[in-house]
């Protein structure tokens, strides 16, 4: 449901979550948006509707994904307003434009990622890159077009070669061992590497980071919109695994390890007169301050003050 409906329908319910993710509409802020649209005001209002959701749920951590175009000068007031919404609620904020290919995506796609931590919570760093060009630095090589779509076979779901657009004459061949262009709701500027046809919906989905087994529901047009609008799932895995580890570390808890055949081990050896209880594993992990890169922006908003400070490597701007 829409944010306003959710807040209205749950006004009498106390709700708390560990993590909240926000992906407000990005069309207005996209660098490709050059003409006014009837949806512009709605998309802008949706961006600032996020504040009410955060205030309702008071999550420990918040993540937000948005087009990098909002960082451009013409949209700077919207970015400042968005960050101000977090700091007014006492949240510390860190944000960065991330090349998602460094988190495993088969596209040279850039997105603004915002991390925020509630009062009393430590602000996590960004995940470290998992991929690099040619595997430099001991990382995995970038995921190429060939690798992303290489397992797709004739007959796979949404891989209908009879309905895909063919080019006659064929277009110039593309290097399959490179990153794809950015996938949008309209598809992509790239096409099947041999130049004969467009990508199928399944190929678009795999390039957008979806596993081949992911099931889509809807018309061809709506599925393409779902693919183009998605926060790529393989990069989401990198981000949220990292944040899950961060919360476990802050809580001094070890990741749950299922026991063979789902057998639950009960420890009743101690002199405890209560019912059987579970033995919880704890971890003495100690957090450390992350190293800040040149392109990471951060606002530290301790609980005892609500005035945020915008800084970049020692340069400070008062947001109030």
């Amino acid at each position: 449901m829409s944010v306003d409906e959710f807040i209205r329908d749950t006004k009498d319910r106390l709700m708390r979550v560990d993590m909240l993710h926000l992906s407000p509409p990005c069309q207005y802020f996209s660098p490709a948006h050059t003409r006014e649209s009837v949806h512009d005001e709605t998309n802008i209002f949706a961006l600032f509707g996020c504040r009410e959701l955060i205030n309702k749920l008071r999550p420990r951590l918040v993540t937000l994904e948005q087009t990098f175009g909002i960082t451009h000068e013409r949209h700077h007031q919207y970015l400042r307003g968005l960050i101000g919404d977090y700091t007014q609620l006492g949240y510390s904020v860190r944000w960065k434009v991330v090349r998602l290919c460094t988190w495993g995506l088969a596209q040279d796609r850039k997105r603004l990622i915002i991390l925020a931590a509630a009062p009393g919570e430590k602000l996590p760093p960004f995940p470290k890159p998992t991929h690099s060009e040619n595997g430099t630095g001991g990382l995995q090589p970038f995921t190429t077009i060939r690798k992303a779509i290489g397992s797709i076979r004739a007959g796979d779901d949404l891989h209908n070669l009879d309905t895909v657009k063919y080019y006659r004459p064929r277009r110039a061949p593309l290097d399959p061992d490179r990153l794809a262009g950015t996938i949008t709701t309209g598809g992509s500027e790239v096409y099947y590497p041999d130049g004969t046809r467009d990508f199928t919906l399944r190929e678009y989905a795999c390039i957008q980071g979806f596993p081949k087994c992911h099931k889509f529901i809807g018309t061809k047009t709506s599925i393409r919109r779902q693919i183009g609008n998605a926060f790529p799932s393989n990069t989401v895995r990198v981000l949220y695994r990292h944040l899950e580890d961060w919360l476990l570390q802050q809580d001094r808890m070890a990741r749950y390890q299922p026991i063979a055949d789902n057998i639950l081990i009960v420890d009743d050896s101690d002199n405890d007169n209560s019912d059987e209880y579970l033995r919880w594993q704890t971890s003495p992990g100690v957090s450390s301050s992350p190293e800040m890169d040149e392109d990471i922006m951060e606002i530290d908003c301790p609980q005892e003050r609500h005035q945020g400070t915008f800084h970049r490597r020692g340069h400070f701007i008062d947001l109030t």
Side-chain angles (χ1 to χ4, degrees):
M1 63 179 70
S2 65
V3 171
D4 61 308
E5 290 175 329
F6 173 77
I7 293 175
R8 182 177 63 249
D9 292 351
T10 61
K11 64 179 180 179
D12 297 324
R13 292 175 57 192
L14 179 63
M15 306 174 71
R16 291 291 181 267
V17 297
D18 287 318
M19 209 174 301
L20 171 68
H21 175 69
L22 305 166
S23 279
C26 63
Q27 285 83 357
Y28 177 75
F29 306 104
S30 171
H33 182 75
T34 57
R35 294 183 297 179
E36 291 186 359
S37 167
V38 295
H39 302 294
D40 284 352
E41 285 191 357
T42 302
N43 290 340
I44 294 172
F45 292 152
L47 182 72
F48 294 103
C50 297
R51 182 185 189 278
E52 296 306 315
L53 194 58
I54 296 171
N55 194 39
K56 163 71 179 178
L57 299 174
R58 302 300 297 189
R60 297 177 66 186
L61 298 180
V62 183
T63 61
L64 183 142
E65 171 254 357
Q66 179 60 263
T67 172
F68 70 93
I70 198 173
T71 65
H72 292 172
E73 185 62 32
R74 65 192 178 108
H75 295 312
H76 195 58
Q77 72 272 24
Y78 295 109
L79 178 60
R80 291 175 68 91
L82 178 63
I83 299 302
D85 280 349
Y86 285 98
T87 59
Q88 287 173 14
L89 295 173
Y91 278 72
S92 299
V93 191
R94 177 173 293 147
W95 68 100
K96 178 182 181 181
V97 174
V98 178
R99 289 183 71 200
L100 296 187
C101 58
T102 63
W103 289 353
L105 190 65
Q107 303 168 55
D108 196 6
R109 184 186 189 96
K110 295 188 295 184
R111 302 298 283 180
L112 173 70
I113 308 295
I114 296 178
L115 305 180
E121 296 283 348
K122 290 187 177 180
L123 184 61
F126 282 94
K128 294 181 179 179
T130 57
H131 293 67
S132 64
E133 189 170 7
N134 300 320
T136 56
L139 304 178
Q140 300 178 60
F142 282 155
T143 304
T144 63
I145 298 173
R146 186 196 303 275
K147 185 174 181 180
I149 67 175
S151 64
I152 300 173
R153 299 290 180 266
D156 285 345
D157 181 42
L158 298 181
H159 186 59
N160 191 336
L161 296 176
D162 294 329
T163 60
V164 74
K165 179 181 178 180
Y166 284 84
Y167 301 114
R168 296 184 177 86
R170 71 168 59 191
R171 295 188 174 186
L174 299 174
D175 181 6
D177 295 313
R178 68 166 202 174
L179 295 170
T182 299
I183 298 294
T184 67
T185 55
S188 173
E189 296 180 355
V190 298
Y191 41 86
Y192 195 74
D194 67 4
T196 60
R197 61 173 176 84
D198 202 353
F199 285 118
T200 64
L201 287 177
R202 180 54 61 189
E203 288 168 334
Y204 275 127
C206 288
I207 292 172
Q208 186 71 325
F210 286 94
K212 195 173 72 169
C213 61
H214 185 87
K215 298 294 184 182
F216 292 89
I217 298 176
T219 65
K220 181 178 179 180
T221 299
S222 68
I223 291 174
R224 176 162 287 195
R225 188 178 299 117
Q226 292 173 51
I227 295 170
N229 282 332
F231 187 15
S233 59
N234 61 345
T235 62
V236 168
R237 180 192 297 259
V238 172
L239 176 60
Y240 286 101
R241 182 76 178 205
H242 166 76
L243 294 179
E244 183 184 13
D245 286 340
W246 174 263
L247 287 180
L248 288 170
Q249 181 188 58
Q250 300 309 304
D251 295 341
R252 300 185 182 276
M253 297 292 293
R255 180 179 296 278
Y256 169 69
Q257 297 294 335
I259 300 172
D261 299 324
N262 293 324
I263 297 174
L264 184 64
I265 298 201
V266 176
D267 178 12
D268 61 355
S269 58
D270 292 341
N271 295 324
D272 192 307
N273 295 324
S274 64
D275 292 338
E276 295 177 339
Y277 59 93
L278 301 182
R279 177 188 298 168
W280 290 88
Q281 290 182 310
T282 60
S283 171
V286 178
S287 60
S288 59
S289 300
E291 294 183 1
M292 299 298 293
D293 296 327
E294 287 290 344
D295 55 350
I296 296 178
M297 312 294 280
E298 179 181 4
I299 291 177
D300 182 20
C301 194
Q303 187 172 5
E304 63 269 17
R305 64 180 176 86
H306 297 285
Q307 176 175 323
T309 304
F310 177 137
H311 63 89
R312 180 186 179 95
R313 302 288 291 185
H315 299 281
F316 295 84
I317 300 175
D318 189 355
L319 284 181
T320 58

